[in-house]
Amino acid sequence: MYCPVWRPRPLSITDVSGLPGDAYADDVNARFREETFRLHTEYIPLCDLLKICDIAETGGVAGLLIVDGEIMVDGEVELRKRAKIRSGQVVSGDGFEIHVITAP
């Protein structure tokens, strides 16, 4: 069964051929998604954060990403779906990084 999840397109040999110098690095960096999430409460559950930031389309898909070990919090693999993500933490995975900050 196919689970629709936002993922960067894998590089193929045609992606790198014919690109001058740093154009290859620019192409790879264009697929990396970095964003800031403004937290209005004390914490947000990890699975909810992934849904809100459009990393996963549903809570089920978010849960699968987490239990498969594809999500890291502050550089360490996080396996708890409902882990409390607080201000100052960084959630990352394949092709994305989310910085959590306190909302003004």
Side-chain angles (χ1 to χ4, degrees), residues 2 10 24 28 33 42 46 52 62 66 79 84 92 95:
Y2 174 72
Y24 173 71
V28 171
R33 180 175 167 189
E42 182 183 346
L46 178 57
I52 290 170
I66 295 165
L79 299 174
K84 295 178 179 180
S92 59

Side-chain angles (χ1 to χ4, degrees), residues 66-81:
I66 295 165
V67 298
D68 285 345
E70 297 185 36
I71 306 298
M72 294 191 301
V73 176
D74 294 333
E76 295 191 18
V77 174
E78 180 59 70
L79 299 174
R80 297 172 296 153
K81 295 183 231 182

Side-chain angles (χ1 to χ4, degrees), residues 1-34:
M1 184 173 146
Y2 174 72
C3 293
V5 177
W6 179 87
R7 295 196 190 278
R9 181 176 57 88
L11 289 176
S12 68
I13 205 67
T14 58
D15 290 331
V16 291
S17 62
L19 294 176
D22 289 338
Y24 173 71
D26 292 340
D27 186 49
V28 171
N29 289 336
R31 295 191 192 122
F32 187 79
R33 180 175 167 189
E34 186 172 2

Side-chain angles (χ1 to χ4, degrees), residues 37-44 52 85 87 100-104:
F37 178 78
R38 297 183 190 283
L39 188 63
H40 294 276
T41 59
E42 182 183 346
Y43 68 88
I44 183 170
I52 290 170
I85 305 302
S87 180
V100 180
I101 62 170
T102 303

